[in-house]
Amino acid sequence: MPPATSLGARKALTGLDDRIEVATGTTVDALWEHHDRGLLNEPVAGLVRAHRNLAKAHTDLTFHRTLLQRLVSGEFELDAALLTRVDRVVGQIREAVAVRDTLHAEAVAVLEPVERDAPRSTPDGLPDLDAPDYAALLAIARGAKLHQHLLTGRLSVATESGTRVTQYVLERLEQAELVVRDTSHPLHAGQPVLITEVGRAVLAGSRGQRSAPTGSSYVAAAEVQRSRQLR
């Protein structure tokens, strides 16, 4: 079993962090802290619980994957005992992946209603993005590369923040002229995906319009409710 981590430890990136922060207008760290203090109303409190479970699943998966990498690194003698350990860890990874995928789907199911309720406002003449597309644009701005699988030909976008950006979302952002691929790099080596001037304007404009983040309203509502209960 992987070692337990303290609440103060660095949180694992889940691939949903950007979407959660965009939908709530609050950082994941702040949301966890507000949840521990009992300051969040539903459904954001439920979202934080789902995100915590997902983050733990990612931590567990990383633990098993790191262990497997060490076992096959050449550090240990290749014998029957090592092969048995490798088989066991591979089985644990398979189970950890299944748990992660289940918890990811559960977190998305809780996140989507919060995203639908998140206010959207952009300057005139700029694309009006929903919360998931805005999160994808923000993740790409932090660093992203497009890869193509040599066997299947499937395209995938890897971002520095861990947010998953599908080919469909990428093409939609390209059509809106928010991002562009750097075709001077081959796909198999990783093709940088860059934010355009329009994309930067959308991010800058949206940040300016988010002076009253939705996450703060959830906290404020919870604080009012608690103060009434104390009277």
Side-chain angles (χ1 to χ4, degrees):
M1 293 292 294
T5 57
S6 66
L7 291 181
R10 184 178 185 274
K11 301 174 182 62
L13 294 174
T14 67
L16 292 180
D17 294 28
D18 286 325
R19 287 180 61 179
I20 291 173
E21 292 184 357
V22 168
T24 62
T26 309
T27 67
V28 167
D29 287 341
L31 286 172
W32 282 35
E33 180 182 350
H34 294 328
H35 182 273
D36 290 341
R37 294 169 59 192
L39 299 178
L40 294 179
N41 283 341
E42 297 292 345
V44 176
L47 174 59
V48 173
R49 291 191 294 270
H51 179 260
R52 271 187 159 156
N53 291 335
L54 179 59
K56 183 180 182 303
H58 276 269
T59 299
D60 293 346
L61 180 56
T62 298
F63 172 83
H64 294 304
R65 183 168 55 188
T66 301
L67 178 57
L68 178 62
Q69 291 171 342
R70 184 185 176 195
L71 291 176
V72 301
S73 66
E75 177 182 350
F76 302 97
E77 181 180 355
L78 185 57
D79 55 18
L82 178 61
L83 294 177
T84 298
R85 292 185 65 188
V86 169
D87 287 342
R88 182 167 61 249
V89 173
V90 169
Q92 292 170 339
I93 289 176
R94 186 178 295 110
E95 294 175 359
V97 168
V99 170
R100 181 209 54 196
D101 291 347
T102 297
L103 293 176
H104 181 90
E106 292 177 357
V108 169
V110 180
L111 172 59
E112 286 178 342
V114 178
E115 289 179 325
R116 286 194 295 268
D117 292 338
R120 299 195 304 272
S121 179
T122 59
D124 292 341
L126 295 177
D128 182 15
L129 300 181
D130 59 18
D133 282 358
Y134 180 91
L137 182 64
L138 181 61
I140 291 174
R142 292 171 176 170
K145 287 187 176 181
L146 179 66
H147 298 268
Q148 183 175 39
H149 196 282
L150 293 177
L151 297 179
T152 64
R154 180 177 300 173
L155 296 176
S156 61
V157 179
T159 68
E160 294 292 337
S161 65
T163 297
R164 299 178 183 178
V165 179
T166 65
Q167 179 181 353
Y168 174 71
V169 172
L170 173 64
E171 291 174 350
R172 190 162 62 238
L173 295 177
E174 286 180 319
Q175 290 173 359
E177 299 183 348
L178 300 175
V179 300
V180 63
R181 310 180 196 185
D182 183 355
T183 56
S184 65
H185 294 73
L187 272 174
H188 65 82
Q191 201 170 77
V193 182
L194 307 174
I195 297 292
T196 65
E197 291 294 335
V198 177
R200 281 191 286 270
V202 168
L203 292 178
S206 295
R207 279 194 291 266
Q209 296 290 335
R210 293 169 183 267
S211 57
T214 58
S216 298
S217 65
Y218 288 112
V219 174
E223 288 179 333
V224 170
Q225 182 177 0
R226 288 180 63 188
S227 65
R228 290 175 176 173
Q229 292 173 346
L230 294 175
R231 293 177 182 175

